[in-house]
Amino acid sequence: MDIDGRIKIIMEKMEKLKDKNPVDTCGDFPPVWDKPLKEERVAKFEEKNGIKLPEDYRRFITTVAGSGSQPFYGLYSIFDQQDADDTNLSQKFYYTIENPLDIYKLSDEEYNKLNDEMTDSGFIFLCHEGCAMYSILIVNSDDKDTYGTVWYFDLANDAGIFPLLNPVNKKTMNFLDWLEYYVDRTLELDDDDFFTYAELTGPYYDDVPEE
């Protein structure tokens, strides 16, 4: 299926959210979508930062919406990365699918060596779940399997930076996979339930040591 066809299906599912009334939501619900971004403006953003946005994400923000009130606290615009003042898009993302940042596996020496280049490069923020936990999209990587994938970013709670994995096939997720997972999970939950993208980080969150 082409990208436009996939987007159409996802947004048709979004319409069904009007029948939901979740008690635990962050941004406006049902989702409110802002206008798409102009192609010329996105191209200048890419040129300025020396990157090429992943095709599915780029198509969404230029044809459907540049930002929105969901998931969670809302889809960030590339021009309004509220929590990303120090993120450097021109630097390559430091990690790969095979080698994420798992803080619990670091020695004290390795932890103390973490720096901005290792934690704040090569990605944009997609949304904030709260408590400094985010979904991020990798937009600059030398690793072709890592570029264009969505990861879970949780440094505030000393967790790490992990790729999101499809719970069915355990493969990585691109932007449209990420967005469709949001709408599918929200549709299947009772209004008093909630989910977190952390559930897609593989075995990590099953093995977090208890305090």
Side-chain angles (χ1 to χ4, degrees), residues 33-50:
W33 302 102
D34 298 320
K35 293 180 180 180
L37 301 174
K38 292 186 179 299
E39 169 67 31
E40 297 81 2
R41 195 176 179 207
V42 173
K44 287 182 179 178
F45 175 87
E46 293 175 316
E47 181 180 4
K48 175 184 176 181
N49 291 286

Side-chain angles (χ1 to χ4, degrees), residues 112-126:
N112 291 332
K113 287 183 178 180
L114 287 177
N115 57 51
D116 290 345
E117 184 176 341
M118 299 169 71
T119 59
D120 293 328
S121 300
F123 64 84
I124 60 172
F125 287 94
L126 290 177

Side-chain angles (χ1 to χ4, degrees), residues 160-174:
I161 310 176
F162 303 93
L164 300 189
L165 302 177
N166 184 303
V168 176
N169 58 26
K170 303 305 180 184
K171 292 183 178 180
T172 55
M173 304 177 77
N174 63 22

Side-chain angles (χ1 to χ4, degrees), residues 102-118:
D102 187 339
I103 289 180
Y104 279 96
K105 292 182 178 179
L106 298 182
S107 66
D108 290 343
E109 181 180 3
E110 290 170 325
Y111 180 84
N112 291 332
K113 287 183 178 180
L114 287 177
N115 57 51
D116 290 345
E117 184 176 341
M118 299 169 71

Side-chain angles (χ1 to χ4, degrees), residues 116-147:
D116 290 345
E117 184 176 341
M118 299 169 71
T119 59
D120 293 328
S121 300
F123 64 84
I124 60 172
F125 287 94
L126 290 177
C127 82
H128 181 204
E129 285 194 23
C131 298
M133 296 178 288
Y134 302 87
S135 291
I136 63 173
L137 177 66
I138 311 309
V139 299
N140 193 354
S141 174
D142 285 329
D143 183 70
K144 63 180 181 61
D145 294 325
T146 299
Y147 171 79

Side-chain angles (χ1 to χ4, degrees), residues 148-204:
T149 57
V150 181
W151 290 50
Y152 199 70
F153 183 100
D154 183 5
L155 298 184
N157 302 292
D158 281 339
I161 310 176
F162 303 93
L164 300 189
L165 302 177
N166 184 303
V168 176
N169 58 26
K170 303 305 180 184
K171 292 183 178 180
T172 55
M173 304 177 77
N174 63 22
F175 170 76
L176 290 182
D177 296 330
W178 173 84
L179 190 62
E180 189 165 26
Y181 187 83
Y182 159 75
V183 69
D184 286 345
R185 285 289 279 135
T186 304
L187 284 171
E188 73 182 13
L189 292 174
D190 293 332
D191 286 344
D192 58 352
D193 289 331
F194 67 94
F195 83 96
T196 170
Y197 280 111
E199 67 194 32
L200 300 179
T201 57
Y204 169 74

